[in-house]
Amino acid sequence: HAGPLRCSNCSRCVPKDKAIKRFTVRIMAESAAVRDISEASVYQAEYVILKLYLKIAYCISFAIHS
């Protein structure tokens, strides 16, 4: 028996084995903001841009229609 998950879009309760799971990586700062920070900085060091790691679960109907 699989435990339930909630769809990230519609909050429908979906069994864990039937949910469509996606792993996305997003950069927290826009490229324009990163460029502005590097231009305004005194130091010529390479910045470590923080990333946001998301594990998203979708129900079947949303995965089909998106």
Short mmCIF file of all heavy atoms in Angstrom, two decimals:
data_model
loop_
_atom_site.label_atom_id
_atom_site.label_comp_id
_atom_site.label_asym_id
_atom_site.label_seq_id
_atom_site.Cartn_x
_atom_site.Cartn_y
_atom_site.Cartn_z
N HIS A 1 0.84 -1.18 0.00
CA HIS A 1 0.00 0.00 0.00
C HIS A 1 0.88 1.24 0.00
O HIS A 1 1.76 1.38 0.84
CB HIS A 1 -0.89 -0.04 1.23
CG HIS A 1 -2.21 0.62 1.04
ND1 HIS A 1 -3.05 0.29 0.03
CD2 HIS A 1 -2.83 1.57 1.75
CE1 HIS A 1 -4.15 1.03 0.13
NE2 HIS A 1 -4.04 1.81 1.17
N ALA A 2 0.67 2.14 -0.95
CA ALA A 2 1.50 3.35 -1.06
C ALA A 2 0.85 4.50 -0.32
O ALA A 2 -0.37 4.66 -0.32
CB ALA A 2 1.67 3.71 -2.52
N GLY A 3 1.68 5.30 0.31
CA GLY A 3 1.18 6.47 1.03
C GLY A 3 0.73 7.56 0.07
O GLY A 3 1.13 7.61 -1.08
N PRO A 4 -0.12 8.47 0.54
CA PRO A 4 -0.64 9.52 -0.34
C PRO A 4 0.32 10.70 -0.47
O PRO A 4 1.11 11.00 0.42
CB PRO A 4 -1.93 9.94 0.35
CG PRO A 4 -1.67 9.68 1.80
CD PRO A 4 -0.79 8.47 1.84
N LEU A 5 0.26 11.36 -1.63
CA LEU A 5 0.95 12.61 -1.89
C LEU A 5 -0.09 13.63 -2.31
O LEU A 5 -1.18 13.28 -2.72
CB LEU A 5 1.97 12.45 -3.03
CG LEU A 5 3.21 11.64 -2.78
CD1 LEU A 5 4.02 11.55 -4.07
CD2 LEU A 5 4.05 12.26 -1.69
N ARG A 6 0.28 14.90 -2.26
CA ARG A 6 -0.59 15.96 -2.75
C ARG A 6 -0.03 16.50 -4.05
O ARG A 6 1.17 16.74 -4.18
CB ARG A 6 -0.68 17.11 -1.73
CG ARG A 6 -1.44 16.76 -0.49
CD ARG A 6 -2.90 16.66 -0.82
NE ARG A 6 -3.67 16.39 0.38
CZ ARG A 6 -4.98 16.48 0.42
NH1 ARG A 6 -5.65 16.84 -0.65
NH2 ARG A 6 -5.63 16.20 1.52
N CYS A 7 -0.90 16.70 -5.02
CA CYS A 7 -0.50 17.29 -6.29
C CYS A 7 -0.01 18.71 -6.04
O CYS A 7 -0.64 19.47 -5.29
CB CYS A 7 -1.67 17.28 -7.26
SG CYS A 7 -1.32 18.08 -8.84
N SER A 8 1.09 19.10 -6.66
CA SER A 8 1.66 20.43 -6.45
C SER A 8 0.81 21.53 -7.08
O SER A 8 0.93 22.68 -6.70
CB SER A 8 3.07 20.49 -7.02
OG SER A 8 3.89 19.59 -6.36
N ASN A 9 -0.04 21.17 -8.01
CA ASN A 9 -0.85 22.18 -8.69
C ASN A 9 -2.27 22.26 -8.12
O ASN A 9 -2.71 23.34 -7.75
CB ASN A 9 -0.91 21.87 -10.18
CG ASN A 9 -1.62 22.94 -10.94
OD1 ASN A 9 -1.34 24.11 -10.74
ND2 ASN A 9 -2.54 22.57 -11.80
N CYS A 10 -2.96 21.14 -8.03
CA CYS A 10 -4.37 21.18 -7.65
C CYS A 10 -4.65 20.62 -6.26
O CYS A 10 -5.80 20.58 -5.82
CB CYS A 10 -5.21 20.44 -8.68
SG CYS A 10 -4.83 18.69 -8.81
N SER A 11 -3.65 20.14 -5.55
CA SER A 11 -3.74 19.60 -4.19
C SER A 11 -4.61 18.35 -4.10
O SER A 11 -5.13 18.03 -3.04
CB SER A 11 -4.26 20.64 -3.20
OG SER A 11 -3.38 21.73 -3.15
N ARG A 12 -4.76 17.65 -5.20
CA ARG A 12 -5.50 16.39 -5.18
C ARG A 12 -4.65 15.32 -4.51
O ARG A 12 -3.45 15.27 -4.67
CB ARG A 12 -5.83 15.98 -6.61
CG ARG A 12 -6.65 14.71 -6.69
CD ARG A 12 -6.98 14.37 -8.12
NE ARG A 12 -7.92 15.34 -8.62
CZ ARG A 12 -8.26 15.47 -9.90
NH1 ARG A 12 -7.71 14.69 -10.80
NH2 ARG A 12 -9.12 16.37 -10.28
N CYS A 13 -5.28 14.47 -3.73
CA CYS A 13 -4.58 13.38 -3.05
C CYS A 13 -4.35 12.24 -4.05
O CYS A 13 -5.29 11.75 -4.66
CB CYS A 13 -5.41 12.91 -1.87
SG CYS A 13 -4.52 11.85 -0.75
N VAL A 14 -3.06 11.87 -4.22
CA VAL A 14 -2.68 10.88 -5.23
C VAL A 14 -1.84 9.81 -4.55
O VAL A 14 -1.00 10.13 -3.71
CB VAL A 14 -1.83 11.55 -6.34
CG1 VAL A 14 -1.51 10.57 -7.44
CG2 VAL A 14 -2.53 12.76 -6.89
N PRO A 15 -2.04 8.53 -4.87
CA PRO A 15 -1.15 7.50 -4.33
C PRO A 15 0.29 7.73 -4.77
O PRO A 15 0.54 8.18 -5.89
CB PRO A 15 -1.69 6.19 -4.93
CG PRO A 15 -3.08 6.50 -5.34
CD PRO A 15 -3.12 7.95 -5.66
N LYS A 16 1.23 7.45 -3.90
CA LYS A 16 2.63 7.75 -4.16
C LYS A 16 3.17 7.03 -5.38
O LYS A 16 3.97 7.59 -6.13
CB LYS A 16 3.45 7.38 -2.92
CG LYS A 16 4.88 7.83 -2.97
CD LYS A 16 5.58 7.53 -1.67
CE LYS A 16 7.00 8.02 -1.67
NZ LYS A 16 7.69 7.74 -0.41
N ASP A 17 2.74 5.82 -5.63
CA ASP A 17 3.25 5.08 -6.78
C ASP A 17 2.63 5.53 -8.10
O ASP A 17 3.18 5.27 -9.16
CB ASP A 17 3.06 3.58 -6.57
CG ASP A 17 1.61 3.19 -6.35
OD1 ASP A 17 0.79 4.08 -6.03
OD2 ASP A 17 1.29 2.00 -6.48
N LYS A 18 1.49 6.24 -8.07
CA LYS A 18 0.85 6.70 -9.31
C LYS A 18 1.15 8.15 -9.64
O LYS A 18 0.85 8.61 -10.73
CB LYS A 18 -0.67 6.51 -9.21
CG LYS A 18 -1.08 5.06 -9.22
CD LYS A 18 -2.58 4.92 -9.28
CE LYS A 18 -2.93 3.44 -9.32
NZ LYS A 18 -4.38 3.26 -9.37
N ALA A 19 1.74 8.88 -8.72
CA ALA A 19 2.04 10.30 -8.96
C ALA A 19 3.19 10.44 -9.94
O ALA A 19 4.11 9.63 -9.96
CB ALA A 19 2.39 10.98 -7.65
N ILE A 20 3.11 11.47 -10.77
CA ILE A 20 4.20 11.78 -11.69
C ILE A 20 5.14 12.72 -10.95
O ILE A 20 4.74 13.81 -10.57
CB ILE A 20 3.68 12.47 -12.98
CG1 ILE A 20 2.88 11.58 -13.93
CG2 ILE A 20 4.85 12.95 -13.82
CD1 ILE A 20 2.10 10.52 -13.55
N LYS A 21 6.38 12.27 -10.74
CA LYS A 21 7.33 13.04 -9.95
C LYS A 21 8.35 13.70 -10.86
O LYS A 21 8.90 13.08 -11.75
CB LYS A 21 8.02 12.15 -8.93
CG LYS A 21 7.06 11.59 -7.88
CD LYS A 21 7.74 10.62 -6.99
CE LYS A 21 7.34 9.20 -7.05
NZ LYS A 21 6.29 8.66 -7.78
N ARG A 22 8.60 14.99 -10.61
CA ARG A 22 9.59 15.75 -11.37
C ARG A 22 10.53 16.43 -10.39
O ARG A 22 10.13 16.88 -9.32
CB ARG A 22 8.93 16.83 -12.23
CG ARG A 22 8.03 16.28 -13.30
CD ARG A 22 8.86 15.75 -14.46
NE ARG A 22 8.03 15.20 -15.49
CZ ARG A 22 7.89 13.91 -15.73
NH1 ARG A 22 8.51 13.03 -14.99
NH2 ARG A 22 7.13 13.49 -16.70
N PHE A 23 11.80 16.50 -10.76
CA PHE A 23 12.82 17.16 -9.95
C PHE A 23 13.33 18.35 -10.74
O PHE A 23 13.88 18.18 -11.83
CB PHE A 23 13.95 16.18 -9.63
CG PHE A 23 14.91 16.69 -8.62
CD1 PHE A 23 14.57 16.72 -7.28
CD2 PHE A 23 16.16 17.13 -9.00
CE1 PHE A 23 15.45 17.18 -6.34
CE2 PHE A 23 17.05 17.59 -8.07
CZ PHE A 23 16.70 17.62 -6.73
N THR A 24 13.10 19.56 -10.25
CA THR A 24 13.51 20.76 -10.97
C THR A 24 14.55 21.52 -10.17
O THR A 24 14.52 21.53 -8.95
CB THR A 24 12.32 21.69 -11.26
OG1 THR A 24 11.74 22.08 -10.03
CG2 THR A 24 11.29 21.00 -12.11
N VAL A 25 15.46 22.15 -10.88
CA VAL A 25 16.49 22.99 -10.29
C VAL A 25 16.33 24.39 -10.85
O VAL A 25 16.35 24.58 -12.07
CB VAL A 25 17.90 22.44 -10.60
CG1 VAL A 25 18.97 23.33 -9.99
CG2 VAL A 25 18.04 21.02 -10.12
N ARG A 26 16.15 25.37 -9.97
CA ARG A 26 15.99 26.75 -10.40
C ARG A 26 17.06 27.60 -9.74
O ARG A 26 17.40 27.40 -8.58
CB ARG A 26 14.62 27.29 -10.01
CG ARG A 26 13.49 26.61 -10.71
CD ARG A 26 12.19 27.24 -10.32
NE ARG A 26 11.08 26.52 -10.93
CZ ARG A 26 9.83 26.69 -10.59
NH1 ARG A 26 9.52 27.54 -9.63
NH2 ARG A 26 8.89 26.01 -11.19
N ILE A 27 17.56 28.57 -10.47
CA ILE A 27 18.50 29.53 -9.91
C ILE A 27 17.70 30.59 -9.17
O ILE A 27 16.71 31.11 -9.69
CB ILE A 27 19.37 30.14 -11.03
CG1 ILE A 27 20.16 29.04 -11.72
CG2 ILE A 27 20.28 31.21 -10.47
CD1 ILE A 27 20.94 29.50 -12.92
N MET A 28 18.13 30.92 -7.95
CA MET A 28 17.34 31.82 -7.11
C MET A 28 17.41 33.27 -7.59
O MET A 28 16.48 34.03 -7.35
CB MET A 28 17.79 31.72 -5.66
CG MET A 28 17.45 30.38 -5.05
SD MET A 28 17.85 30.28 -3.32
CE MET A 28 16.53 31.24 -2.60
N ALA A 29 18.47 33.68 -8.25
CA ALA A 29 18.60 35.05 -8.73
C ALA A 29 18.48 35.08 -10.25
O ALA A 29 18.91 34.16 -10.94
CB ALA A 29 19.94 35.64 -8.30
N GLU A 30 17.91 36.16 -10.77
CA GLU A 30 17.82 36.31 -12.21
C GLU A 30 19.20 36.59 -12.78
O GLU A 30 20.10 37.05 -12.08
CB GLU A 30 16.90 37.48 -12.55
CG GLU A 30 15.48 37.32 -12.08
CD GLU A 30 14.67 38.58 -12.37
OE1 GLU A 30 15.27 39.63 -12.66
OE2 GLU A 30 13.45 38.49 -12.29
N SER A 31 19.36 36.35 -14.06
CA SER A 31 20.66 36.59 -14.68
C SER A 31 21.01 38.07 -14.69
O SER A 31 22.18 38.45 -14.56
CB SER A 31 20.68 36.03 -16.10
OG SER A 31 19.68 36.66 -16.88
N ALA A 32 20.00 38.95 -14.82
CA ALA A 32 20.26 40.39 -14.79
C ALA A 32 20.73 40.83 -13.41
O ALA A 32 21.62 41.67 -13.28
CB ALA A 32 19.00 41.15 -15.18
N ALA A 33 20.15 40.24 -12.36
CA ALA A 33 20.56 40.58 -11.00
C ALA A 33 21.97 40.10 -10.72
O ALA A 33 22.76 40.80 -10.06
CB ALA A 33 19.58 39.98 -9.99
N VAL A 34 22.32 38.94 -11.21
CA VAL A 34 23.68 38.41 -11.04
C VAL A 34 24.69 39.30 -11.75
O VAL A 34 25.75 39.62 -11.21
CB VAL A 34 23.77 36.96 -11.56
CG1 VAL A 34 25.20 36.46 -11.57
CG2 VAL A 34 22.90 36.05 -10.72
N ARG A 35 24.34 39.75 -12.94
CA ARG A 35 25.22 40.64 -13.69
C ARG A 35 25.40 41.98 -12.97
O ARG A 35 26.51 42.51 -12.88
CB ARG A 35 24.68 40.86 -15.10
CG ARG A 35 25.64 41.62 -16.00
CD ARG A 35 25.09 41.79 -17.41
NE ARG A 35 23.87 42.59 -17.40
CZ ARG A 35 22.67 42.15 -17.80
NH1 ARG A 35 22.53 40.91 -18.22
NH2 ARG A 35 21.61 42.93 -17.77
N ASP A 36 24.30 42.53 -12.42
CA ASP A 36 24.39 43.79 -11.68
C ASP A 36 25.26 43.65 -10.44
O ASP A 36 26.04 44.55 -10.12
CB ASP A 36 22.99 44.27 -11.28
CG ASP A 36 22.17 44.70 -12.47
OD1 ASP A 36 22.76 44.96 -13.55
OD2 ASP A 36 20.93 44.78 -12.33
N ILE A 37 25.14 42.55 -9.75
CA ILE A 37 25.94 42.31 -8.54
C ILE A 37 27.42 42.21 -8.90
O ILE A 37 28.28 42.79 -8.24
CB ILE A 37 25.46 41.05 -7.80
CG1 ILE A 37 24.09 41.29 -7.19
CG2 ILE A 37 26.45 40.64 -6.72
CD1 ILE A 37 23.43 40.05 -6.65
N SER A 38 27.72 41.49 -9.98
CA SER A 38 29.12 41.33 -10.36
C SER A 38 29.73 42.64 -10.87
O SER A 38 30.90 42.92 -10.64
CB SER A 38 29.27 40.23 -11.42
OG SER A 38 28.58 40.61 -12.59
N GLU A 39 28.94 43.49 -11.52
CA GLU A 39 29.44 44.79 -11.97
C GLU A 39 29.65 45.75 -10.81
O GLU A 39 30.57 46.55 -10.84
CB GLU A 39 28.47 45.40 -12.99
CG GLU A 39 28.48 44.70 -14.32
CD GLU A 39 27.42 45.25 -15.26
OE1 GLU A 39 26.64 46.14 -14.84
OE2 GLU A 39 27.37 44.78 -16.41
N ALA A 40 28.81 45.68 -9.79
CA ALA A 40 28.91 46.60 -8.66
C ALA A 40 29.94 46.14 -7.63
O ALA A 40 30.34 46.92 -6.77
CB ALA A 40 27.55 46.74 -7.98
N SER A 41 30.40 44.92 -7.74
CA SER A 41 31.33 44.38 -6.75
C SER A 41 32.75 44.88 -7.00
O SER A 41 33.18 45.08 -8.13
CB SER A 41 31.30 42.85 -6.80
OG SER A 41 32.23 42.33 -5.89
N VAL A 42 33.48 45.07 -5.91
CA VAL A 42 34.88 45.48 -5.98
C VAL A 42 35.76 44.28 -6.29
O VAL A 42 36.74 44.36 -7.01
CB VAL A 42 35.31 46.14 -4.65
CG1 VAL A 42 36.79 46.49 -4.66
CG2 VAL A 42 34.46 47.36 -4.37
N TYR A 43 35.38 43.12 -5.73
CA TYR A 43 36.16 41.91 -5.89
C TYR A 43 35.87 41.24 -7.22
O TYR A 43 34.75 41.24 -7.70
CB TYR A 43 35.87 40.93 -4.75
CG TYR A 43 36.13 41.52 -3.39
CD1 TYR A 43 35.08 41.85 -2.55
CD2 TYR A 43 37.42 41.75 -2.96
CE1 TYR A 43 35.31 42.40 -1.31
CE2 TYR A 43 37.67 42.30 -1.73
CZ TYR A 43 36.61 42.62 -0.90
OH TYR A 43 36.85 43.18 0.33
N GLN A 44 36.87 40.67 -7.82
CA GLN A 44 36.72 39.98 -9.10
C GLN A 44 36.60 38.46 -8.89
O GLN A 44 37.08 37.68 -9.70
CB GLN A 44 37.92 40.29 -10.01
CG GLN A 44 38.02 41.73 -10.41
CD GLN A 44 36.81 42.19 -11.21
OE1 GLN A 44 36.24 41.43 -11.98
NE2 GLN A 44 36.40 43.43 -10.99
N ALA A 45 36.00 38.08 -7.80
CA ALA A 45 35.85 36.65 -7.47
C ALA A 45 34.62 36.08 -8.17
O ALA A 45 33.69 36.79 -8.50
CB ALA A 45 35.73 36.47 -5.97
N GLU A 46 34.65 34.79 -8.37
CA GLU A 46 33.51 34.09 -8.96
C GLU A 46 32.48 33.82 -7.86
O GLU A 46 32.80 33.27 -6.82
CB GLU A 46 33.99 32.77 -9.56
CG GLU A 46 32.96 32.08 -10.41
CD GLU A 46 32.68 32.81 -11.70
OE1 GLU A 46 33.58 33.50 -12.20
OE2 GLU A 46 31.55 32.69 -12.18
N TYR A 47 31.24 34.22 -8.09
CA TYR A 47 30.19 34.05 -7.10
C TYR A 47 29.55 32.67 -7.23
O TYR A 47 29.38 32.17 -8.34
CB TYR A 47 29.10 35.11 -7.26
CG TYR A 47 29.54 36.48 -6.82
CD1 TYR A 47 29.92 37.44 -7.73
CD2 TYR A 47 29.57 36.80 -5.47
CE1 TYR A 47 30.33 38.69 -7.33
CE2 TYR A 47 29.97 38.05 -5.06
CZ TYR A 47 30.35 38.99 -5.99
OH TYR A 47 30.75 40.22 -5.57
N VAL A 48 29.18 32.13 -6.11
CA VAL A 48 28.42 30.88 -6.10
C VAL A 48 26.94 31.26 -6.07
O VAL A 48 26.46 31.86 -5.12
CB VAL A 48 28.77 30.02 -4.87
CG1 VAL A 48 27.91 28.78 -4.83
CG2 VAL A 48 30.24 29.65 -4.89
N ILE A 49 26.26 30.97 -7.14
CA ILE A 49 24.85 31.30 -7.25
C ILE A 49 24.04 30.19 -6.59
O ILE A 49 24.20 29.02 -6.92
CB ILE A 49 24.43 31.47 -8.73
CG1 ILE A 49 25.33 32.48 -9.43
CG2 ILE A 49 22.98 31.87 -8.83
CD1 ILE A 49 25.33 33.85 -8.82
N LEU A 50 23.18 30.58 -5.68
CA LEU A 50 22.36 29.60 -4.97
C LEU A 50 21.28 29.04 -5.90
O LEU A 50 20.72 29.75 -6.72
CB LEU A 50 21.71 30.23 -3.75
CG LEU A 50 22.68 30.74 -2.69
CD1 LEU A 50 21.91 31.41 -1.57
CD2 LEU A 50 23.51 29.61 -2.15
N LYS A 51 21.03 27.76 -5.73
CA LYS A 51 20.01 27.08 -6.54
C LYS A 51 18.92 26.54 -5.63
O LYS A 51 19.17 26.19 -4.49
CB LYS A 51 20.63 25.95 -7.35
CG LYS A 51 21.60 26.43 -8.39
CD LYS A 51 22.16 25.28 -9.17
CE LYS A 51 23.16 25.79 -10.19
NZ LYS A 51 23.75 24.69 -10.94
N LEU A 52 17.73 26.47 -6.17
CA LEU A 52 16.58 25.97 -5.45
C LEU A 52 16.21 24.61 -6.06
O LEU A 52 15.94 24.51 -7.25
CB LEU A 52 15.41 26.95 -5.59
CG LEU A 52 14.16 26.68 -4.82
CD1 LEU A 52 14.44 26.76 -3.32
CD2 LEU A 52 13.10 27.70 -5.18
N TYR A 53 16.25 23.57 -5.24
CA TYR A 53 15.95 22.22 -5.70
C TYR A 53 14.53 21.87 -5.26
O TYR A 53 14.22 21.88 -4.07
CB TYR A 53 16.94 21.22 -5.11
CG TYR A 53 18.36 21.46 -5.55
CD1 TYR A 53 19.24 22.23 -4.80
CD2 TYR A 53 18.81 20.92 -6.75
CE1 TYR A 53 20.54 22.45 -5.23
CE2 TYR A 53 20.10 21.13 -7.19
CZ TYR A 53 20.96 21.89 -6.41
OH TYR A 53 22.23 22.12 -6.85
N LEU A 54 13.67 21.55 -6.22
CA LEU A 54 12.27 21.25 -5.93
C LEU A 54 11.92 19.85 -6.42
O LEU A 54 12.24 19.47 -7.54
CB LEU A 54 11.35 22.25 -6.65
CG LEU A 54 11.48 23.71 -6.27
CD1 LEU A 54 10.69 24.56 -7.23
CD2 LEU A 54 10.99 23.91 -4.86
N LYS A 55 11.25 19.10 -5.57
CA LYS A 55 10.70 17.82 -5.97
C LYS A 55 9.19 18.01 -6.07
O LYS A 55 8.52 18.26 -5.08
CB LYS A 55 11.04 16.73 -4.96
CG LYS A 55 10.65 15.36 -5.42
CD LYS A 55 11.15 14.29 -4.49
CE LYS A 55 10.79 12.93 -5.00
NZ LYS A 55 11.22 11.89 -4.07
N ILE A 56 8.68 17.92 -7.29
CA ILE A 56 7.28 18.22 -7.55
C ILE A 56 6.55 16.92 -7.89
O ILE A 56 7.06 16.09 -8.64
CB ILE A 56 7.17 19.21 -8.73
CG1 ILE A 56 7.91 20.51 -8.39
CG2 ILE A 56 5.72 19.51 -9.06
CD1 ILE A 56 8.02 21.46 -9.55
N ALA A 57 5.36 16.76 -7.35
CA ALA A 57 4.52 15.60 -7.64
C ALA A 57 3.21 16.09 -8.27
O ALA A 57 2.59 17.02 -7.77
CB ALA A 57 4.22 14.81 -6.38
N TYR A 58 2.84 15.48 -9.40
CA TYR A 58 1.63 15.85 -10.10
C TYR A 58 0.66 14.68 -10.11
O TYR A 58 1.06 13.53 -10.14
CB TYR A 58 1.92 16.22 -11.56
CG TYR A 58 2.75 17.47 -11.74
CD1 TYR A 58 3.90 17.44 -12.51
CD2 TYR A 58 2.39 18.66 -11.15
CE1 TYR A 58 4.66 18.57 -12.69
CE2 TYR A 58 3.14 19.80 -11.32
CZ TYR A 58 4.27 19.75 -12.10
OH TYR A 58 5.03 20.87 -12.27
N CYS A 59 -0.64 15.01 -10.13
CA CYS A 59 -1.65 13.98 -10.34
C CYS A 59 -1.66 13.64 -11.83
O CYS A 59 -1.11 14.37 -12.66
CB CYS A 59 -3.02 14.45 -9.86
SG CYS A 59 -3.67 15.89 -10.71
N ILE A 60 -2.30 12.56 -12.20
CA ILE A 60 -2.31 12.09 -13.58
C ILE A 60 -2.99 13.11 -14.50
O ILE A 60 -2.47 13.42 -15.57
CB ILE A 60 -3.05 10.73 -13.68
CG1 ILE A 60 -2.35 9.68 -12.83
CG2 ILE A 60 -3.15 10.26 -15.12
CD1 ILE A 60 -0.98 9.30 -13.30
N SER A 61 -4.12 13.66 -14.09
CA SER A 61 -4.84 14.57 -14.96
C SER A 61 -4.07 15.85 -15.23
O SER A 61 -4.07 16.36 -16.35
CB SER A 61 -6.22 14.91 -14.36
OG SER A 61 -6.06 15.57 -13.13
N PHE A 62 -3.36 16.36 -14.24
CA PHE A 62 -2.57 17.56 -14.47
C PHE A 62 -1.36 17.26 -15.35
O PHE A 62 -0.99 18.05 -16.21
CB PHE A 62 -2.11 18.19 -13.16
CG PHE A 62 -1.29 19.43 -13.36
CD1 PHE A 62 -1.89 20.61 -13.76
CD2 PHE A 62 0.07 19.41 -13.21
CE1 PHE A 62 -1.14 21.75 -13.97
CE2 PHE A 62 0.83 20.54 -13.42
CZ PHE A 62 0.22 21.71 -13.80
N ALA A 63 -0.73 16.11 -15.16
CA ALA A 63 0.43 15.75 -15.97
C ALA A 63 0.04 15.57 -17.44
O ALA A 63 0.83 15.91 -18.33
CB ALA A 63 1.06 14.47 -15.42
N ILE A 64 -1.14 15.09 -17.71
CA ILE A 64 -1.60 14.90 -19.09
C ILE A 64 -1.92 16.26 -19.73
O ILE A 64 -1.52 16.51 -20.86
CB ILE A 64 -2.84 13.99 -19.14
CG1 ILE A 64 -2.43 12.56 -18.78
CG2 ILE A 64 -3.49 14.02 -20.51
CD1 ILE A 64 -3.59 11.63 -18.62
N HIS A 65 -2.58 17.13 -19.01
CA HIS A 65 -3.08 18.38 -19.59
C HIS A 65 -2.10 19.54 -19.52
O HIS A 65 -2.39 20.61 -20.04
CB HIS A 65 -4.40 18.78 -18.93
CG HIS A 65 -5.49 17.79 -19.19
ND1 HIS A 65 -6.00 17.56 -20.46
CD2 HIS A 65 -6.15 16.95 -18.37
CE1 HIS A 65 -6.92 16.64 -20.38
NE2 HIS A 65 -7.05 16.23 -19.14
N SER A 66 -0.95 19.35 -18.92
CA SER A 66 -0.01 20.47 -18.85
C SER A 66 1.05 20.38 -19.94
O SER A 66 1.27 19.39 -20.56
CB SER A 66 0.68 20.50 -17.50
OG SER A 66 1.51 19.39 -17.34
#
